């Protein structure tokens, strides 16, 4: 199974790219780190006291994520998906079995941390390093529509999260155990497909 990690700051186009690739790649699925945020009272409390909580790895339910990841890699199948609701702060589970998986796409702001911790080989890391202004414009449109944020909160959260992501990007050392493609503009889908074939 080929494993593809897609990372980038919020608004860089990770979800859009993973959706396009999933449509083009035979027997593929997408694991979105956004859907594995911790839930419950403790998580809600921490989000009130820790600045940019949802941009930090402490907000990720790593046990749940790695259980699913390891099961998918071992069995080459998936039996369920999660979707995190950013308004209610709850996680919904959907049963849907897909077998004989050929590609696994892992998408989200925590992708590099997951890659480092998992020690996986035979991976492709795609970094989306689009301009900050482009990311902000996209985030403002998304947050007001999907996450119930007003303009001021959306802008403030983005700037804080962008700083956290860029700081983290500098600190993570992956020792080049993988192939990597970096895009500073809209990603070239054909370039990615060609890399996967090689």
């Amino acid at each position: 199974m080929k494993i593809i990690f897609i990372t980038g700051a919020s608004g860089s186009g990770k979800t859009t790219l993973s959706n396009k690739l999933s449509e083009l790649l035979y027997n593929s699925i997408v694991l979105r780190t956004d859907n594995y945020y911790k839930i419950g009272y403790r998580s809600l409390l921490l989000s009130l006291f820790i600045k940019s909580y949802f941009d930090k790895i402490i907000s990720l339910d790593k046990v749940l994520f790695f259980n699913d990841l390891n099961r998918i890699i071992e069995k080459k199948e998936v039996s369920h998906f999660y979707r995190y609701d950013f308004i209610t702060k709850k996680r919904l589970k959907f049963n849907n079995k897909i077998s004989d998986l050929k590609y696994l796409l892992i998408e989200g702001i925590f992708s590099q941390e997951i890659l480092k911790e998992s020690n996986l080989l035979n991976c492709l890391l795609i970094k989306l390093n689009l301009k900050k202004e482009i990311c902000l414009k996209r985030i403002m449109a998304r947050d007001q529509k999907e996450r119930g944020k007003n303009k001021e909160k959306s802008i403030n959260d983005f700037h804080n999260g962008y700083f956290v992501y860029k700081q983290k990007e500098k600190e993570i050392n992956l020792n080049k155990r993988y192939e990597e493609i970096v895009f500073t503009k809209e990603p070239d889908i054909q370039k990615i497909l060609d890399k996967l074939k090689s």
Side-chain angles (χ1 to χ4, degrees):
M1 180 190 299
K2 187 73 176 181
I3 303 174
I4 304 156
F5 288 83
I6 302 174
T7 189
S10 293
S12 58
K14 300 181 296 296
T15 299
T16 300
L17 176 59
S18 64
N19 287 342
K20 287 179 181 177
L21 288 174
S22 184
E23 289 174 5
L24 294 169
L25 296 172
Y26 172 72
N27 276 25
S28 63
I29 60 156
V30 181
L31 280 187
R32 307 190 193 284
T33 63
D34 278 0
N35 291 328
Y36 287 83
Y37 279 122
K38 292 175 182 175
I39 56 174
Y41 179 75
R42 186 169 183 269
S43 182
L44 286 173
L45 195 62
L46 288 173
S47 69
L48 295 175
F49 291 98
I50 298 177
K51 186 177 180 180
S52 298
Y53 171 74
F54 289 105
D55 297 295
K56 299 175 179 176
I57 194 70
I58 57 170
S59 66
L60 182 73
D61 189 334
K62 290 202 291 184
V63 172
L64 184 65
F65 183 88
F66 278 101
N67 280 345
D68 281 358
L69 175 62
N70 293 332
R71 190 180 301 114
I72 290 168
I73 293 171
E74 180 185 343
K75 297 186 176 181
K76 293 184 173 55
E77 69 177 30
V78 64
S79 60
H80 59 267
F81 294 91
Y82 294 108
R83 183 173 65 81
Y84 183 83
D85 188 313
F86 284 88
I87 296 177
T88 64
K89 302 291 190 294
K90 293 181 179 179
R91 188 191 306 120
L92 306 174
K93 183 176 181 179
F94 302 90
N95 294 318
N96 184 17
K97 187 172 182 178
I98 303 174
S99 302
D100 192 30
L101 291 171
K102 306 297 182 187
Y103 297 94
L104 169 60
L105 295 96
I106 298 171
E107 172 263 304
I109 59 173
F110 304 125
S111 292
Q112 290 184 95
E113 285 130 310
I114 291 166
L115 177 52
K116 182 176 182 178
E117 191 167 328
S118 64
N119 291 315
L120 290 168
L121 302 174
N122 191 32
C123 299
L124 173 63
L125 175 63
I126 301 172
K127 289 185 176 181
L128 303 180
N129 288 339
L130 277 68
K131 290 183 178 179
K132 186 177 181 180
E133 297 76 22
I134 295 173
C135 296
L136 175 58
K137 186 177 179 181
R138 291 175 176 174
I139 284 299
M140 287 175 62
R142 182 201 69 186
D143 280 0
Q144 293 176 57
K145 181 180 178 182
E146 298 176 13
R147 302 190 180 182
K149 295 183 182 180
N150 60 39
K151 183 178 179 180
E152 183 180 352
K153 180 166 176 53
S154 182
I155 293 172
N156 187 55
D157 286 353
F158 170 78
H159 286 300
N160 290 333
Y162 190 88
F163 175 80
V164 170
Y165 179 82
K166 287 299 181 180
Q167 197 67 29
K168 173 175 57 180
E169 195 175 37
K170 292 177 185 177
E171 295 169 357
I172 295 175
N173 180 12
L174 295 171
N175 298 319
K176 297 293 181 183
R177 295 180 287 101
Y178 51 85
E179 296 182 271
E180 181 180 304
I181 305 177
V182 179
F183 293 106
T184 56
K185 297 181 180 179
E186 292 303 316
D188 183 337
I189 302 292
Q190 191 57 53
K191 183 177 180 179
I192 297 170
L193 296 176
D194 290 343
K195 176 66 77 172
L196 292 171
K197 290 176 185 176
S198 63

